[in-house]
Amino acid sequence: MRIAGACAALLALGRCSSGRSSVPRGYDLQAPTTFPARAGSVRGQLLVVEPKAIASLDTERIAVRGPGGAFSYLSDGAWADRLPKLLQARIIQSFENANRLRSVGRPGDRLASDWQLLVDVRSFELAATGANEVVVELSVKLVNDRSGRILAGRVFSARMPSAGTDAANVARAFNDAGGKVMADIVIWATGQI
């Protein structure tokens, strides 16, 4: 019985590694790495709070918005993590790449922060309405962490055409649009503080 059980387990593992798994391929976003030079010293500490999103976007599934606003999801790909968590990680990495602040982290990192960056995900979907394009729209607020007052707020958006509706092409378009939005957020936020 033990040998039969071990054989069954090995066969199951073999099936998982054969590429026939029904688990969709995971896609990541890349943080921008190049930023214009900025005069002045590196200063301040910023916390990037996990972005807020409606339930349709608060998932690892890649959203598609069809005619009439109905949501569906790509079946051949997914994000590497829940979209808000992935965006938080890449926004932090973008600020780190820009090297304009003394420190950047997330709540719980034990930073004595000066500011918090609050993000609401308005859109992060493939608009499948004929001309396939991805739409990224983030509403961002910069808050003084000591007083709780909003220093500034702005909506950032980008649209990029997708060469196809398969996950690889859609993820590539999201990477371009998301990279532009994240770079714009970093430049704007560091200009405010």
Side-chain angles (χ1 to χ4, degrees):
M1 285 295 248
R2 287 184 189 161
I3 293 172
C7 287
L10 286 173
L11 284 172
L13 285 173
R15 272 189 232 110
C16 289
S17 63
S18 70
R20 295 184 198 150
S21 173
S22 62
V23 176
R25 172 177 261 166
Y27 290 91
D28 200 351
L29 296 171
Q30 293 179 336
T33 57
T34 56
F35 292 87
R38 178 184 175 206
S41 62
V42 175
R43 50 180 247 173
Q45 298 188 113
L46 175 73
L47 289 180
V48 178
V49 176
E50 183 177 312
K52 303 275 188 222
I54 62 172
S56 300
L57 298 174
D58 190 359
T59 176
E60 58 279 331
R61 299 165 73 191
I62 300 174
V64 179
R65 189 185 295 248
F71 275 103
S72 61
Y73 300 93
L74 295 183
S75 60
D76 62 334
W79 296 121
D81 203 340
R82 280 180 38 253
L83 180 63
K85 205 159 203 47
L86 181 60
L87 282 172
Q88 180 188 35
R90 296 302 165 251
I91 291 169
I92 290 170
Q93 189 177 358
S94 299
F95 276 101
E96 291 170 340
N97 291 345
N99 198 30
R100 294 180 175 196
L101 296 170
R102 193 169 354 119
S103 181
V104 182
R106 53 184 51 82
D109 283 353
R110 295 180 170 241
L111 292 179
S113 65
D114 301 299
W115 305 279
Q116 285 193 25
L117 192 76
L118 308 179
V119 179
D120 286 311
V121 181
R122 290 185 169 189
S123 295
F124 211 95
E125 67 241 7
L126 171 66
T129 54
N132 295 319
E133 66 178 357
V134 300
V135 180
V136 174
E137 187 172 89
L138 305 178
S139 173
V140 180
K141 293 178 185 70
L142 191 60
V143 178
N144 181 309
D145 205 22
R146 291 184 174 87
S147 69
R149 294 188 140 194
I150 296 173
L151 180 62
R154 186 172 156 194
V155 175
F156 296 87
S157 63
R159 293 174 173 263
M160 293 286 171
S162 177
T165 57
D166 60 294
N169 279 308
V170 171
R172 194 173 301 118
F174 270 120
N175 201 53
D176 293 342
K180 180 189 181 322
V181 166
M182 287 185 278
D184 290 347
I185 289 170
V186 169
I187 292 166
W188 169 80
T190 55
Q192 301 295 317
I193 53 181

